[in-house]
Amino acid sequence: MTEKEIDALLARAADLARRAAGGEVAYGPFLTPQEQRMLKIRLPQKQTPLFCGGYPDAERARAFFLPDYMAELDDDVRREVLAEALGEAVVPLLVKGSGFHTATHRDYLGAVLNLGIKREALGDICVLPDGGAVLFCDSVMATFLKENLVRVARDTVSVGEVTLPPDFNGGRSFKPLCDTVASPRADAVVAALCHLSRERAQALFARELVQMDYEPLEKYDREVPEGAVLSVRGYGKFVIRSLSDKTKKGRYRLIADQYQ
């Protein structure tokens, strides 16, 4: 993000925080993971919002700023109190086609944007393994989409609200990866994940093709923490599950999942 974009994001967050200080639950548009991270590190701790994207592992989420009387509550209690606001702000919709055509994430996104909707008005678009997709928006947008989203790519679709199971994961699937690396440095980890030499991995950083936690990663000697999300353009996206245990030879055991 540019400094100008960060300033605009923080200004919008400050306005929402002022509204929350006045006693209302305030929230803005859906934010990218990078925007969420920026709020977490730039806002004072007492102003850190609650993020919700409709399911536990959602990437895009709305930031909810809470009145003072709610800020001290535990997360579970706050979510119960916030149930009404969440129900208005984050609505899951099931988009179902005929079954004769396979639509991609790009197809669903393009169909919605062609209706004149801005990307920030939508949360995740989760393409399901058995066909169709679940997308997230607010209740007003849900009504609009149910009436106006009738085609995705070459297929006719129907749109309706859906109750998601507690274990909904966005339809994601992962390929488990295991290896050992000499150190937890980013270049060593990327080399192992992408089956490259250390030198070729370092070249990817120089070309700005590597992101960690949705931020460009320029220094290849930075250590990669457990839980980090690494995106390597042209190679894929990975979640680092473990990078702490050592072998008898002093190498680090790398356990990761690759998004499929």
Side-chain angles (χ1 to χ4, degrees), residues 58-76:
E59 292 193 350
R60 289 177 176 265
R62 289 187 186 274
F64 289 80
F65 291 82
L66 311 179
D68 289 341
Y69 73 89
M70 295 176 63
E72 302 301 324
L73 300 176
D74 293 337
D75 284 349
D76 290 342

Side-chain angles (χ1 to χ4, degrees), residues 11-24 26 43 47 65-68:
R12 185 162 53 186
D15 179 61
L16 294 172
R18 283 192 292 269
R19 288 167 52 189
E24 66 173 298
L43 291 178
Q47 291 184 1
F65 291 82
L66 311 179
D68 289 341

Side-chain angles (χ1 to χ4, degrees), residues 221-239:
D221 59 352
R222 278 189 55 184
E223 289 195 2
V224 178
E226 293 183 3
V229 177
L230 283 176
S231 299
V232 185
R233 191 180 305 172
Y235 292 91
K237 181 177 175 182
F238 310 85
V239 183

